[in-house]
Amino acid sequence: MKHLVSRHTVRETLGTVFQRMSVEAGVIKCKAAVLWEQKQPFSIEEIEVAPPKTKEVRIKILATGICRTDDHVIKGTMVSKFPVIVGHEATGIVESIGEGVTTVQPGDKVIPLFLPQCRECNACRNPDGNLCIRSDITGRGVLADGTTRFTCKGKPVYHFMNTSTFTEYTVVDESSVAKIDDAAPPEKVCLIGCGFSTGYGAAVKTGKVKPGSTCVVFGLGGVGLSVIMGCKSAGASRIIGIDLNKDKFEKAMAVGATECISPKDSTKPISEVLSEMTGNNVGYTFEVIGRLETMIDALASCHMNYGTSVVVGAPPSAKMLTYDPMLLFTGRTWKGCVFGGLKSRDDVPKLVTEFLAKKFDLDQLITHVLPFKKINEGFELLNSGQSIRTVLTF
């Protein structure tokens, strides 16, 4: 009881301090990992973070995950303006709010959302939609008013996907932030801001996996493992993991796969191998790699009449796909999803609550925890294949 009172007092004090700061909000100087150009390491710089404008929220970041999407910006496979602060999977505390903000207040624990939910556009208002019109998937790099809140060495620094979490402080639009349970551990639930939700939602929301079904997951990285967790949660009786790297099989089995195979183990097409293994009864397949060839393999691998195949991995830009239309004519369903089809502001707090109720285990996905200043080391772990998720703490 004493511990609970103590934590409540700390929470109350933080809230009071941040509320006072909200009234007096000015420019904050802090450390951030700036990408000055493509194919260069991050540079830890002192930046200035402007106060939040109308309908904006300034957040003190507590923990942030390293995602493959951030690496796409470094490598130039994802459009971005430079210099930029990337990062989009995080947990933080609201430091101050702009005029008109009603859904969060200073001191609230929050998750920034790379996929906003304005609740006004067609996608937000449709029960099956989630790709909000305010999403920044084209690399605009600015907030709703067309300007940035970051400066470094006198130059404007651009935002990334409405979030920019590789910094001690960031500013986001109110539509890009979700209040979560204060008891949530930041270094774990930050994964709900992207990787976990993308995979888990692909199974339970987009794929709508049914109890007793057979599922196949192509690609056993962090998002692939989250798809497996979603299939298991939905009651799938058989979950087959597929990857060229057999070192990933043990972890896949630990989170719920019933068996794992490598396409290299047979000369037959993987769709034939899976048909023989399951008695031609694969209900759902998930492509979690982002390779065009694997997308077609995954489509061909689900049942020709009632199977559903979900594209989860981001496809390479400016590439076209060629496939046999008979794959669809016979009755298959081919779907894609962003953020697992979840409505971000509605569903992220629910997932955090489910995590706290031990409905799923995020520890299985986190292989490394590093201090923020070791961000370049975190990306080396990603690119060498040694990590599933590295979390940076401040």
Side-chain angles (χ1 to χ4, degrees):
M1 186 66 191
K2 185 180 176 185
H3 172 73
L4 287 172
V5 170
S6 168
R7 192 174 70 187
H8 178 72
T9 306
V10 170
R11 153 91 178 148
E12 208 169 56
T13 307
L14 261 180
T16 307
V17 169
F18 281 145
Q19 276 171 349
R20 189 178 71 250
M21 289 170 74
S22 188
V23 174
E24 304 163 357
V27 172
I28 287 179
K29 289 187 177 181
C30 69
K31 291 281 190 273
V34 178
L35 269 181
W36 289 100
E37 54 186 302
Q38 285 177 14
K39 301 184 172 115
Q40 293 294 319
F42 290 94
S43 177
I44 303 293
E45 306 276 8
E46 182 177 84
I47 65 163
E48 291 84 44
V49 184
K53 294 186 180 180
T54 301
K55 291 281 188 180
E56 292 177 358
V57 179
R58 188 160 61 183
I59 302 167
K60 176 179 171 59
I61 301 295
L62 301 175
T64 182
I66 291 177
C67 175
R68 180 71 64 182
T69 306
D70 302 310
D71 193 55
H72 289 337
V73 178
I74 301 172
K75 291 190 166 60
T77 54
M78 187 168 185
V79 179
S80 176
K81 292 177 181 174
F82 291 88
V84 64
I85 295 170
V86 295
H88 62 282
E89 183 181 84
T91 312
I93 290 179
V94 175
E95 175 271 335
S96 57
I97 57 176
E99 192 179 331
V101 172
T102 58
T103 56
V104 294
Q105 62 183 13
D108 284 347
K109 190 173 280 185
V110 293
I111 289 179
L113 307 168
F114 76 87
L115 185 69
Q117 186 184 351
C118 72
R119 298 186 170 135
E120 295 165 0
C121 70
N122 288 343
C124 284
R125 291 169 66 180
N126 187 298
D128 296 322
N130 77 331
L131 190 56
C132 178
I133 197 170
R134 295 192 186 179
S135 305
D136 183 11
I137 51 177
T138 56
R140 291 192 315 272
V142 290
L143 295 185
D145 75 339
T147 64
T148 171
R149 300 293 163 269
F150 304 126
T151 52
C152 182
K153 300 177 181 175
K155 295 179 180 176
V157 178
Y158 291 101
H159 295 250
F160 176 65
M161 293 180 79
N162 305 293
T163 47
S164 294
T165 61
F166 291 162
T167 168
E168 291 176 320
Y169 288 86
T170 190
V171 178
V172 303
D173 292 306
E174 185 181 17
S175 57
S176 294
V177 65
K179 179 184 175 181
I180 61 169
D181 192 309
D182 190 51
E187 73 285 357
K188 295 180 182 179
V189 298
C190 60
L191 270 64
I192 292 174
C194 179
F196 173 76
S197 301
T198 296
Y200 191 83
V204 300
K205 182 80 183 277
T206 304
K208 294 182 171 61
V209 169
K210 291 176 183 169
S213 58
T214 296
C215 301
V216 178
V217 181
F218 290 75
L220 302 177
V223 179
L225 295 177
S226 301
V227 173
I228 291 173
M229 292 162 79
C231 292
K232 182 181 178 183
S233 173
S237 59
R238 197 170 180 186
I239 305 168
I240 303 168
I242 299 180
D243 204 292
L244 294 171
N245 182 356
K246 292 187 177 182
D247 293 341
K248 295 182 178 180
F249 291 178
E250 185 181 350
K251 182 71 83 170
M253 299 286 282
V255 300
T258 53
E259 60 227 279
C260 294
I261 59 172
S262 166
K264 287 195 267 190
D265 288 345
S266 174
T267 54
K268 294 179 183 176
I270 192 69
S271 56
E272 280 186 33
V273 173
L274 289 164
S275 181
E276 288 171 10
M277 280 177 69
T278 64
N280 190 29
N281 191 31
V282 175
Y284 306 88
T285 60
F286 299 86
E287 202 281 354
V288 204
I289 303 164
R291 286 182 72 248
L292 302 184
E293 297 83 2
T294 326
M295 290 174 190
I296 296 169
D297 284 341
L299 179 64
S301 297
C302 68
H303 191 275
M304 66 186 295
N305 179 231
Y306 56 77
T308 295
S309 186
V310 182
V311 175
V312 188
S317 55
K319 293 279 199 249
M320 298 300 286
L321 191 62
T322 304
Y323 69 97
D324 180 354
M326 281 301 289
L327 287 170
L328 292 179
F329 178 74
T330 54
R332 289 180 180 92
T333 300
W334 205 6
K335 306 174 85 169
C337 61
V338 176
F339 198 55
L342 301 171
K343 288 187 180 290
S344 57
R345 282 209 281 174
D346 294 344
D347 291 328
V348 161
K350 292 175 189 172
L351 285 173
V352 171
T353 301
E354 288 181 13
F355 167 75
L356 291 171
K358 297 184 165 47
K359 294 261 181 84
F360 49 83
D361 181 12
L362 295 173
D363 286 340
Q364 299 279 4
L365 305 176
I366 301 166
T367 50
H368 300 79
V369 179
L370 297 174
F372 176 60
K373 64 184 179 184
K374 292 191 174 181
I375 184 169
N376 285 312
E377 187 180 317
F379 275 83
E380 286 165 18
L381 289 167
L382 174 76
N383 288 314
S384 63
Q386 294 176 66
S387 66
I388 296 174
R389 254 309 182 271
T390 296
V391 174
L392 305 171
T393 56
F394 291 80

